[in-house]
Structure formats: C-alpha cells, structure tokens
C-alpha cells in the first residue's frame, strides 16, 4: 500500500545463550548459535522504519550510544558511534524526520537509542520531533521492575522522554495512527507489544522479542 518499510541494521551484541534459549539444551542451540568463553551468543540489533510520506514511524531504537566502555565490553557491542543516525542517513532521513517512536518494550537493547547525550552531557530525546509510545503495563514494569529483569531497564533510556513531555503511555491494544495498531502479548516482559501495520489486504507484524 502507501507504506514504505525499511529494516534498520544498527549493530550486534552478545547476551547469555542460556538466558536467550530458555529450556532448550545448550547441546542443541550451541550448534547453530555457538557461545563464546562467557557463554554469550551473537545477536543482531534491528529496528524498523515505516514511511507513508508524512508519517515516519520508528519501531524500537536499539542500544544507542550512551554506554561507557565497561558496558560495551560486557555486552560485546559492535556498532557505529551513532548507529540509528547512520542507518537513517543511508535511506535519506535524519532523526528530526521521525514523527513517532513505538517501543515493543523498554529493555535497554530496544530503548537505548531513544535518548542521547548532548554537548553538555545531559540525556535528551534523540528524536525531538517525535512522540514516543509505550503500554501502561510496561511503563509500570520498567519503573518498578523485579529482581529478574531489573538490570534490563536503564532509566536514562526513558525517563528523559517523560520529562520532555514526549512520552505517550497508552492502553494495551491501541491504535497509534491510522493503519498502525499495537497488540499486547505479555510474553518476554509484562506489557510487551507487537506492532501491526495494515493497508488494504496486506498486514505486517513486528514481533520483537516475542521470537
């Protein structure tokens, strides 16, 4: 239909293979996803841009570039200095062109690129002309997380959005704009949402960490 769809490759990182594969034995997953000496496996950081000519909707924002050297080493982060800015530039856009940012959830590898450090070292929204959307249940989870996933939420990734008045906390299963809806799955984390793009007979679903 009217939408152009751009997958954005922003880099690679590593997480613990056992945590990623769950109950699947390592003897099986290690054949296709070999672990390093710290039991980490390679993972890609992919976002999605949807463009209908007037709305440019970014789904997830990757890791961003705020992490210090210890953070980069811990997760074996391999990416450009400004990964999303470079990925957008390759398709002819800049961060100022983005009108909407929809988070599947607020774990640091999906929300880290939503904010950046300015010249004064302050954390500010990376997409100043955009509204940012997250479910109310995931917002509560991110701000009052449990022991299991507390380390996955870094508040510098999302609290500056609220402070700047750009954050929209929406109910589960919401319409963001005409043709783009969310579908809440509560799987990987409470309030995780899939993003559904529909135009006529065509439909696409962004699954994020559901898969």
């Amino acid at each position: 239909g009217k939408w152009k769809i751009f997958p954005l490759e922003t880099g690679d990182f590593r997480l613990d293979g056992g945590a990623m594969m769950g109950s699947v034995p390592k003897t099986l997953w290690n054949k296709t996803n070999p672990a390093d000496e710290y039991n980490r496996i390679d993972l890609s950081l992919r976002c999605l841009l949807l463009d209908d000519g007037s709305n440019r909707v970014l789904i997830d924002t990757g890791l961003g570039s705020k992490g210090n050297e210890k953070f980069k080493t811990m997760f074996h982060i391999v990416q450009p200095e400004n990964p999303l800015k470079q990925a957008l530039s390759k398709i002819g856009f800049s961060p100022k062109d983005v009108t909407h940012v929809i988070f599947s959830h607020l774990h640091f590898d999906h929300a880290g690129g939503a904010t950046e450090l300015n010249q004064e070292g302050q954390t500010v929204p990376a997409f100043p002309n955009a509204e940012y959307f997250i479910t109310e249940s995931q917002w509560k989870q991110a701000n009052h997380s449990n022991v299991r996933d507390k380390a996955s939420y870094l508040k510098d990734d999302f609290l500056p959005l609220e402070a700047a008045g750009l954050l929209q906390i929406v109910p589960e299963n919401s319409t963001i704009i005409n043709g783009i809806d969310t579908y809440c799955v509560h799987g990987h984390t409470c309030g995780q949402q899939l993003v559904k793009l529909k135009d006529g007979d065509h439909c696409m679903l962004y699954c994020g960490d559901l898969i």
Side-chain angles (χ1 to χ4, degrees):
K2 63 182 180 180
W3 292 94
K4 294 180 180 178
I5 302 170
F6 301 95
L8 303 178
E9 298 277 353
T10 65
D12 302 297
F13 75 131
R14 294 179 183 177
L15 290 175
D16 183 84
M20 295 300 98
M21 299 298 178
S23 60
V24 179
K26 183 177 181 179
T27 52
L28 295 180
W29 61 254
N30 199 53
K31 295 176 182 178
T32 54
N33 299 78
D36 66 10
E37 65 272 27
Y38 301 108
N39 207 49
R40 302 173 303 183
I41 61 172
D42 289 319
L43 298 168
S44 294
L45 293 158
R46 296 188 182 94
C47 309
L48 200 66
L49 185 76
L50 312 176
D51 173 34
D52 70 352
S54 57
N55 298 292
R56 283 160 295 279
V57 182
L58 179 63
I59 306 176
D60 283 342
T61 64
L63 279 167
S65 54
K66 301 189 302 295
N68 57 27
E69 288 305 314
K70 180 180 178 181
F71 182 81
K72 293 175 184 177
T73 300
M74 183 184 301
F75 296 105
H76 198 274
I77 297 169
V78 179
Q79 63 180 18
E81 185 177 349
N82 295 293
L84 258 184
K85 190 176 293 184
Q86 285 199 26
L88 287 169
S89 179
K90 287 179 180 178
I91 56 173
F93 295 111
S94 76
K96 292 182 178 179
D97 296 320
V98 176
T99 58
H100 304 75
V101 177
I102 307 174
F103 295 110
S104 59
H105 58 300
L106 293 173
H107 285 173
F108 64 78
D109 53 321
H110 293 258
T115 60
E116 62 185 3
L117 298 177
N118 65 14
Q119 291 182 340
E120 289 74 40
Q122 300 166 321
T123 307
V124 297
F127 304 96
N129 298 325
E131 289 185 290
Y132 295 73
F133 297 83
I134 190 62
T135 60
E136 183 178 6
S137 48
Q138 172 64 185
W139 180 251
K140 290 179 178 177
Q141 178 77 8
N143 283 281
H144 305 283
S145 50
N146 56 43
V147 174
R148 181 178 63 85
D149 63 358
K150 185 176 181 179
S152 295
Y153 294 109
L154 305 180
K155 294 188 177 181
D156 269 355
D157 293 342
F158 48 84
L159 289 186
L161 308 176
E162 182 186 39
L166 300 179
L167 186 68
Q168 299 289 332
I169 300 173
V170 298
E172 297 171 9
N173 306 329
S174 293
T175 297
I176 305 302
I177 58 174
N178 185 33
I180 297 182
D181 301 297
T182 62
Y183 179 68
C184 199
V185 290
H186 294 299
H188 177 61
T189 184
C190 180
Q192 180 189 352
Q193 59 187 0
L194 314 188
V195 180
K196 182 172 73 172
L197 173 65
K198 189 166 174 43
D199 193 330
D201 295 330
H202 300 280
C203 184
M204 183 201 72
L205 204 62
Y206 176 92
C207 292
D209 282 352
L210 182 67
I211 300 175

